[in-house]
Amino acid sequence: MRHFLTTEDWTREELQALLDAARVFRADPFSDALARRSLAFVFFNPSMRTRSSFQVGAHQLGGHSVVLEPGGSSWPIEARDGVVMDGDAEEHAREVVPILSRYFDMIGVRSFPKFKIWSDDLTDPVLSAFAKYASVPVINMETIVHPCQELAMMMALQDRIGETDGRKFTLSWVPHPRPLNTAVANSALLMAAKFGFDVTIAVPDEAYRLDERFMSAAQESAAANGRSITMTTDLDAAYDGANVVYAKSWGAIPYFGRWDEEAALREKAGAARFMIDEEKMARTDNGVVSHCLPMRRNVKIADAVADSDRFLGVAEAENRLHVQKAVMARLAVEARS
Ligand code: CP
């Protein structure tokens, strides 16, 4: 039985097959790929797009979905083994996940990092527990990576620019009032490298380097494709000749748990200059811009860019519906075989 936890576990050909299937679902939305199937979508964190697109997608494939919100409308869950459960959690993943596996045919999980100790977050404790204790396929709906967002991004890019091999993909850190999850940045890096882009990561300071797990995986993909991964604090170099600018804000990993110090670092590094505007985009090779959304306008991306034809964020969000249907249908087929 196969899960969809990270695109690191899937080959480029397998991911391309999911993108091809997504385009079939876009052209012809309804099927019985999940007929008589029930799906649980477990949200430890808020969502608009993910929740809506998974539920609508399951419906369009003939399935029934239930959303669970541990700590909200359902019991808080502990995922770590061996802990004394004298805190908020009322039950353990060791019971919850086998029970969900008896009710449901597939389980989606969203569980963001705790933002205190990165080495703990890097183990992806909640998703790992679900994958370990589930006897049905598990889908990552965003933890420390966001693989469904990766597929949606690649679908939007292929639709707009066609061939991705040898094109320049700039992953630009952008400002936000708070330090955010690195998941989408990790994912954009993994996917762009796997699909043959030359990737430039633009950051205000070296402290914003992404975790070695994702840097190494991307470097392996880039080497296999004869491409490169570069990190720079030079915005002109990052934008010059770019075909794609992907915007994301994330917290600096060495400062995890010391966010006041990180705020001071941002100030010192002049982080506000990383907002994407027309002047920067003029340096690109008629480049497109995307973002996973939600997005703060005129903090991350200026109105003039977000409202222009360059902006693919809404198309990417639409694609979440199509690609997730492809993932759910694929996992359902594999679970039957
Ligand atoms: N991009 C994304 O995952 O959106 P939501 O947080 O609204 O689900």
Side-chain angles (χ1 to χ4, degrees), residues 46-51 110 142 146 149 292-294 320:
S47 167
M48 190 277 265
R49 280 145 288 270
T50 304
R51 177 175 176 158
R110 165 168 284 197
E142 190 178 355
H146 199 352
Q149 193 75 48
C292 60
L293 307 179
R320 294 288 305 278

Side-chain angles (χ1 to χ4, degrees), residues 27 57 63 82 87 96 104 141 144 193 213 230 240 247 260-261 269 275 279 286 292 301 303 311:
V96 173
F104 295 99
M141 302 194 300
I144 56 170
R213 168 179 155 188
T230 312
D240 279 344
D260 289 348
E261 290 176 49
M275 182 181 78
E279 194 184 331
N286 195 25
C292 60
I301 300 182
D303 278 344
F311 185 65

Side-chain angles (χ1 to χ4, degrees), residues 138-155:
V138 173
I139 299 174
N140 184 344
M141 302 194 300
E142 190 178 355
T143 58
I144 56 170
V145 287
H146 199 352
C148 297
Q149 193 75 48
E150 289 177 51
L151 285 171
M153 174 193 81
M154 191 51 62
M155 187 172 176

